[in-house]
Amino acid sequence: MTLLRQALRFSSPLLPFICRRCRTYSTQAGAVKRVISAFRSVSGDEGVSVGSAVREQHGRDESVHSLYTHFHMRLPIACFPLLGGVCLNLRKMDQVLDLHQEDFDVTVEPGVTPKGLNSYLRDTGLWFPVDPGADASLCGMAATSASGTNAVRYGTMRGNVLNLEVVLADGTVLHTAGKGRRPRKTSAGYNLTNLFVGSEGTLGIITKATLRLFGIPESMVSAVCSFPSVQSAVDSTVQILQAGVPIARIEFLDDVMINACNRFNNLSYAVTPTLFLEFHGSSKSMEEQVSITEEITWDNGGSDFAWSEDEETRGRLWKARHDAWYAALALRPGCKAYSTDVCVPISRLPQIIVETKEDLIRNNITGPIAGHVGDGNFHCLIVLDPNDPDEVQRVHSFTERLARRALAMDGTCTGEHGIGLGKRALLREEVGLLAIEVMQEHYRRYSALDFLTTRCQENKVCFKF
């Protein structure tokens, strides 16, 4: 932690500014060499790498956005510097710092993952249920406001973070709820914690997170149910929620997605629209939840209802769901995947999924649908040939239509993937210009770049080297 603060303080006078004219990062001549030297003085030669292979590994994610690894051109500091710069790898900060069993909370460093935390908690009767699929960093999950399959019952990261320790651009350490504070609720001042949850790394580097924990349920039961149509499967989802069933997970997979999962994981589910479901609770409450759910699904034409309480069988089921990205990629070897998501009010879910499915078929796009439909959120895992300009254009047009379809239904252009690079224009449409200006003002204040940005405008030049 001290090293990170020192590194940022060494580099902050040399930080780049963002030119509002050309939207590029710039820095003074020779600054990069000085920053590298400063970093090495803090963390040693072994703690700094400028090799191309390492930079390429850390300069991209699973998206199709372009990769820039020209370290000498720009100098943003982030955990994922897509435009080049300094990538902070915090995985060695992997300690569970403070566990308060009686208060159901824990504080972790950024290298701790959900699996690692739940392994640490295995003898306490507690667990952390937010499950985005990939075993991601918990502080990274906070930065992106991650959610996943359990969100319908336990909420997203936004509702499960009590406090954050954040290092700002000048090395200042901020405790968003006050140092050491961990109340379940507060009305003291601005909600700075939720300002940083979902900020996607634009406001600071999260170095500790205090999280809510939950008791491990007495019983867990999973189920798979097939349906004759997309409409009937999604109608069942809405009706189950409207009936007040406290379902833990309810995931929708269309016929293309379930076929991909079968092939990738050597399964044999019916290749029709399908729901994966899971229930948590006492044995007595489980009986009621299962009974109501079965009745609703039967009324909507559901069949092949297969239940399992066995942990191994349930594990295979959810592994298949979590492998959906790689299963979709395997449909077209050699191609790339592009994932997009939207979220709408639950009552509009049947309409938007049916319209989206029709849009995919009409435009000959390979786009398996999988979604956390219990909270109105679903994904299209599009597989395309990036060397086919016509297909790329069709996919781009489809994703624009999908997002605007969600906005027209009072939803959001992204339920959990975030704005990133691909949805900045859509964010403006969703929240309006005034909200964007407020966000930009927060960014300038927290990132300490406003002065340099102004100077760039006044000089009307951008320095690169």
Side-chain angles (χ1 to χ4, degrees):
M1 177 62 199
T2 301
L3 295 181
L4 179 58
R5 291 177 61 183
Q6 290 177 349
L8 287 173
R9 282 175 174 165
F10 272 134
S11 62
S12 59
L14 308 174
L15 281 174
F17 54 88
I18 300 175
C19 174
R20 290 172 180 167
R21 277 193 309 116
C22 66
R23 310 304 301 169
T24 61
Y25 292 101
S26 305
T27 187
Q28 302 170 357
V32 171
K33 290 182 179 179
R34 295 197 297 274
V35 168
I36 292 175
S37 177
F39 283 150
R40 284 179 171 153
S41 72
V42 172
S43 59
D45 290 345
E46 71 284 355
V48 179
S49 177
V50 295
S52 60
V54 175
R55 288 188 286 124
E56 288 178 9
Q57 177 189 2
H58 292 279
R60 68 173 307 120
D61 60 7
E62 293 279 11
S63 76
V64 296
H65 296 297
S66 299
L67 168 66
Y68 297 90
T69 59
H70 301 296
F71 189 90
H72 62 283
M73 288 180 62
R74 307 176 175 96
L75 194 61
I77 296 181
C79 290
F80 172 47
L82 185 68
L83 295 177
V86 179
C87 174
L88 298 177
N89 186 337
L90 307 180
R91 68 180 180 183
K92 291 185 179 180
M93 298 174 66
D94 59 358
Q95 299 300 304
V96 177
L97 299 174
D98 294 296
L99 170 62
H100 299 94
Q101 291 181 235
E102 67 282 6
D103 295 325
F104 291 76
D105 66 63
V106 67
T107 300
V108 299
E109 290 185 328
V112 180
T113 68
K115 286 182 181 178
L117 176 58
N118 285 325
S119 175
Y120 181 92
L121 297 171
R122 63 182 177 273
D123 296 325
T124 67
L126 302 174
W127 73 314
F128 184 72
V130 181
D131 176 24
D135 194 27
S137 156
L138 285 162
C139 289
M141 288 166 57
T144 58
S145 192
S147 54
T149 58
N150 282 318
V152 64
R153 173 72 175 268
Y154 300 99
T156 70
M157 287 299 289
R158 192 172 295 280
N160 287 293
V161 177
L162 303 178
N163 199 352
L164 294 171
E165 179 186 86
V166 183
V167 181
L168 303 180
D170 62 354
T172 301
V173 177
L174 170 68
H175 297 270
T176 57
K179 189 171 183 179
R181 308 296 177 192
R182 48 189 181 87
R184 284 302 180 101
K185 64 179 183 180
T186 177
S187 59
Y190 292 164
N191 189 342
L192 292 179
T193 300
N194 274 352
L195 175 64
F196 282 87
V197 174
S199 62
E200 300 188 41
T202 59
L203 301 180
I205 304 297
I206 298 174
T207 52
K208 289 181 188 175
T210 301
L211 309 171
R212 296 180 62 184
L213 299 176
F214 295 79
I216 297 176
E218 176 186 329
S219 299
M220 297 184 184
V221 176
S222 296
V224 180
C225 186
S226 302
F227 291 86
S229 67
V230 170
Q231 183 79 50
S232 59
V234 184
D235 281 345
S236 292
T237 299
V238 175
Q239 292 166 23
I240 289 168
L241 296 172
Q242 290 173 337
V245 177
I247 196 161
R249 310 194 210 191
I250 182 164
E251 297 286 304
F252 169 78
L253 295 84
D254 74 349
D255 56 325
V256 181
M257 190 74 259
I258 199 70
N259 179 52
C261 288
N262 279 344
R263 293 167 59 177
F264 190 77
N265 290 281
N266 195 28
L267 301 172
S268 56
Y269 296 127
V271 183
T272 62
T274 300
L275 290 180
F276 288 1
L277 310 98
E278 188 164 279
F279 305 85
H280 296 173
S282 65
S283 298
K284 185 175 182 179
S285 69
M286 204 75 70
E287 292 177 8
E288 183 179 13
Q289 293 179 47
V290 168
S291 175
I292 295 172
T293 301
E294 282 188 328
E295 183 177 348
I296 291 172
T297 56
W298 287 337
D299 288 345
N300 285 286
S303 60
D304 299 327
F305 220 113
W307 295 94
S308 176
E309 196 169 359
D310 173 71
E311 183 175 353
E312 183 178 349
T313 304
R314 288 191 299 105
R316 284 199 301 270
L317 171 68
W318 294 111
K319 183 180 183 301
R321 171 61 185 89
H322 290 325
D323 286 345
W325 171 268
Y326 303 103
L329 267 175
L331 290 174
R332 296 180 65 184
C335 289
K336 298 290 185 180
Y338 180 98
S339 181
T340 188
D341 83 309
V342 296
C343 187
V344 296
I346 193 70
S347 63
R348 308 302 297 272
L349 192 61
Q351 178 185 352
I352 192 171
I353 290 187
V354 168
E355 291 181 6
T356 299
K357 181 73 171 175
E358 292 171 349
D359 195 344
L360 288 165
I361 294 172
R362 184 168 57 251
N363 288 280
N364 192 30
I365 295 173
T366 303
I369 296 176
H372 316 307
V373 287
D375 47 18
N377 179 213
F378 71 94
H379 312 271
C380 288
L381 309 181
I382 303 166
V383 187
L384 72 159
D385 180 357
N387 298 314
D388 182 340
D390 177 66
E391 184 175 17
V392 170
Q393 181 57 46
R394 282 186 286 115
V395 168
H396 176 74
S397 298
F398 165 78
T399 59
E400 295 280 327
R401 288 193 301 274
L402 173 59
R404 292 194 170 92
R405 190 178 295 133
L407 295 179
M409 295 182 185
D410 302 324
T412 174
C413 67
T414 175
E416 65 179 18
H417 284 183
I419 295 300
L421 294 175
K423 292 187 175 181
R424 288 174 291 183
L426 291 163
L427 177 64
R428 287 193 289 272
E429 294 181 27
E430 180 170 328
V431 302
L433 181 60
L434 178 58
I436 293 295
E437 291 175 348
V438 171
M439 293 183 197
Q440 289 173 335
E441 180 62 24
H442 275 294
Y443 172 77
R444 286 192 291 269
R445 287 177 182 272
Y446 277 100
S447 62
L449 298 181
D450 196 35
F451 170 74
L452 289 175
T453 302
T454 302
R455 189 175 67 181
C456 179
Q457 285 185 299
E458 292 173 348
N459 294 339
K460 297 181 180 180
V461 295
C462 297
F463 299 97
K464 300 180 184 178
F465 62 95

